[in-house]
Short mmCIF file of all heavy atoms in Angstrom, two decimals:
data_model
loop_
_atom_site.label_atom_id
_atom_site.label_comp_id
_atom_site.label_asym_id
_atom_site.label_seq_id
_atom_site.Cartn_x
_atom_site.Cartn_y
_atom_site.Cartn_z
N GLY A 664 3.35 6.61 2.31
CA GLY A 664 3.17 6.68 0.88
C GLY A 664 1.75 6.77 0.52
O GLY A 664 0.93 5.99 1.08
N ARG A 725 6.07 11.64 5.79
CA ARG A 725 6.68 10.77 6.81
C ARG A 725 7.35 11.64 7.81
O ARG A 725 8.38 12.25 7.48
CB ARG A 725 7.69 9.80 6.15
CG ARG A 725 6.92 8.82 5.14
CD ARG A 725 7.82 7.73 4.68
NE ARG A 725 7.00 6.68 3.95
CZ ARG A 725 7.13 6.56 2.64
NH1 ARG A 725 7.82 7.30 1.89
NH2 ARG A 725 6.37 5.61 2.06
N THR A 779 -2.15 1.36 1.32
CA THR A 779 -0.81 1.22 0.76
C THR A 779 -0.86 0.33 -0.48
O THR A 779 -1.63 -0.61 -0.41
CB THR A 779 0.22 0.68 1.75
OG1 THR A 779 1.33 0.25 0.98
CG2 THR A 779 -0.25 -0.53 2.56
N ILE A 780 -0.14 0.70 -1.55
CA ILE A 780 -0.17 -0.15 -2.64
C ILE A 780 0.55 -1.56 -2.47
O ILE A 780 0.44 -2.41 -3.21
CB ILE A 780 0.48 0.53 -3.98
CG1 ILE A 780 2.00 0.86 -3.65
CG2 ILE A 780 -0.27 1.76 -4.33
CD1 ILE A 780 2.81 1.13 -4.91
N ASP A 781 1.27 -1.56 -1.29
CA ASP A 781 2.08 -2.79 -1.12
C ASP A 781 1.35 -3.98 -0.61
O ASP A 781 1.83 -5.16 -0.72
CB ASP A 781 3.24 -2.50 0.04
CG ASP A 781 4.06 -1.39 -0.40
OD1 ASP A 781 4.15 -1.09 -1.55
OD2 ASP A 781 4.71 -0.79 0.52
N MET A 823 7.15 -1.87 -7.39
CA MET A 823 7.29 -1.50 -5.99
C MET A 823 6.80 -2.57 -5.07
O MET A 823 6.31 -3.67 -5.52
CB MET A 823 6.49 -0.28 -5.68
CG MET A 823 7.22 1.05 -6.10
SD MET A 823 6.32 2.43 -5.63
CE MET A 823 7.45 3.75 -5.94
N GLY A 824 6.73 -2.31 -3.79
CA GLY A 824 6.23 -3.33 -2.72
C GLY A 824 7.12 -3.26 -1.54
O GLY A 824 6.87 -4.06 -0.63
N ARG A 825 8.06 -2.36 -1.52
CA ARG A 825 9.05 -2.27 -0.39
C ARG A 825 9.65 -3.75 -0.19
O ARG A 825 10.18 -4.30 -1.09
CB ARG A 825 8.31 -1.80 0.86
CG ARG A 825 9.36 -1.17 1.81
CD ARG A 825 8.60 -0.55 3.07
NE ARG A 825 7.85 0.62 2.70
CZ ARG A 825 8.27 1.80 2.72
NH1 ARG A 825 9.59 2.05 3.05
NH2 ARG A 825 7.56 2.87 2.41
N GLU A 876 10.92 -4.93 -5.98
CA GLU A 876 12.08 -4.02 -5.59
C GLU A 876 12.79 -4.57 -4.34
O GLU A 876 13.97 -4.24 -4.21
CB GLU A 876 11.62 -2.66 -5.36
CG GLU A 876 10.61 -2.42 -4.19
CD GLU A 876 10.31 -0.95 -3.91
OE1 GLU A 876 10.91 -0.07 -4.43
OE2 GLU A 876 9.33 -0.83 -3.09
N HIS A 906 7.14 5.43 -9.44
CA HIS A 906 5.94 6.00 -8.81
C HIS A 906 4.73 6.11 -9.71
O HIS A 906 3.65 6.48 -9.17
CB HIS A 906 6.39 7.44 -8.30
CG HIS A 906 7.15 7.37 -7.03
ND1 HIS A 906 8.55 7.04 -7.17
CD2 HIS A 906 6.89 7.56 -5.66
CE1 HIS A 906 9.02 7.08 -5.87
NE2 HIS A 906 8.04 7.32 -5.07
N ARG A 909 1.84 4.46 -8.02
CA ARG A 909 1.17 5.11 -6.87
C ARG A 909 0.03 6.08 -7.33
O ARG A 909 -0.73 6.43 -6.47
CB ARG A 909 2.13 5.84 -5.99
CG ARG A 909 3.04 4.95 -5.21
CD ARG A 909 2.93 5.16 -3.68
NE ARG A 909 3.28 6.47 -3.30
CZ ARG A 909 4.54 6.77 -2.80
NH1 ARG A 909 5.35 5.79 -2.56
NH2 ARG A 909 4.78 7.93 -2.40
O1 LIG B 1109 4.95 1.91 0.72
C1 LIG B 1109 4.55 2.37 -0.59
C2 LIG B 1109 5.82 2.57 -1.48
O2 LIG B 1109 5.37 3.03 -2.73
C3 LIG B 1109 6.76 1.35 -1.54
O3 LIG B 1109 6.28 0.38 -2.49
C4 LIG B 1109 8.05 2.00 -1.87
O4 LIG B 1109 9.05 1.15 -1.52
C5 LIG B 1109 8.02 3.26 -1.13
O5 LIG B 1109 6.70 3.57 -0.83
C6 LIG B 1109 8.62 4.41 -1.87
O6 LIG B 1109 8.66 5.58 -1.02
P1 LIG B 1109 8.91 7.02 -1.49
O7 LIG B 1109 7.72 7.52 -2.25
O8 LIG B 1109 9.05 7.77 -0.19
O9 LIG B 1109 10.17 6.97 -2.30
#
Side-chain angles (χ1 to χ4, degrees):
R725 294 191 170 106
T779 162
I780 63 163
D781 302 340
M823 278 187 172
R825 205 179 288 273
E876 65 175 350
H906 285 78
R909 286 242 293 264

